[in-house]
Amino acid sequence: MAPSMLPLALLLLAGDLAASLNSQFGQPSEYRTPDCNQYKLPGCPRDFNPVCGSDMSTYPNECTLCMKIREDGHDIKIIHSGPC
C-alpha cells in the first residue's frame, strides 16, 4: 500500500511548491495601484517614503512612481511600502 501512496504524496508536494512559487513570483492580489490623481505632475514632493514597484525598482515615493508610469506608459503597481 505504501508504494501507491508515493504518487499522491508527490502530487501534493508539487501543488505546495507551485503555490509557493506563484506567491513569490506571480502577481499577488495585495499589489495596489498607485493613486496618481492626487499628484500635480510633473512636480513631486521631496518626502522620502519609498515604495517597491512591480518592475522591481525602488521609488523614493509614490509620486515618483506615478511620474515613471506617465513617462513610460507602463502599468506599474506597488508591491509594498519600503525598498525592493
Side-chain angles (χ1 to χ4, degrees), residues 11-77:
L11 183 62
L12 290 172
L13 285 173
D16 286 345
L17 177 62
S20 174
L21 289 174
N22 196 26
S23 70
Q24 287 179 344
F25 300 108
Q27 183 169 337
S29 60
E30 59 265 10
Y31 282 16
R32 67 180 176 90
T33 302
D35 183 13
C36 295
N37 293 328
Q38 68 178 327
Y39 303 109
K40 296 180 190 298
L41 300 175
C44 283
R46 292 181 176 221
D47 63 330
F48 186 68
N49 190 13
V51 293
C52 180
S54 58
D55 61 349
M56 298 313 295
S57 294
T58 299
Y59 296 90
N61 55 40
E62 186 176 37
C63 182
T64 55
L65 170 60
C66 290
M67 277 191 1
K68 180 70 171 176
I69 291 170
R70 274 208 189 149
E71 289 171 1
D72 294 349
H74 295 115
D75 184 27
I76 305 170
K77 305 288 186 202

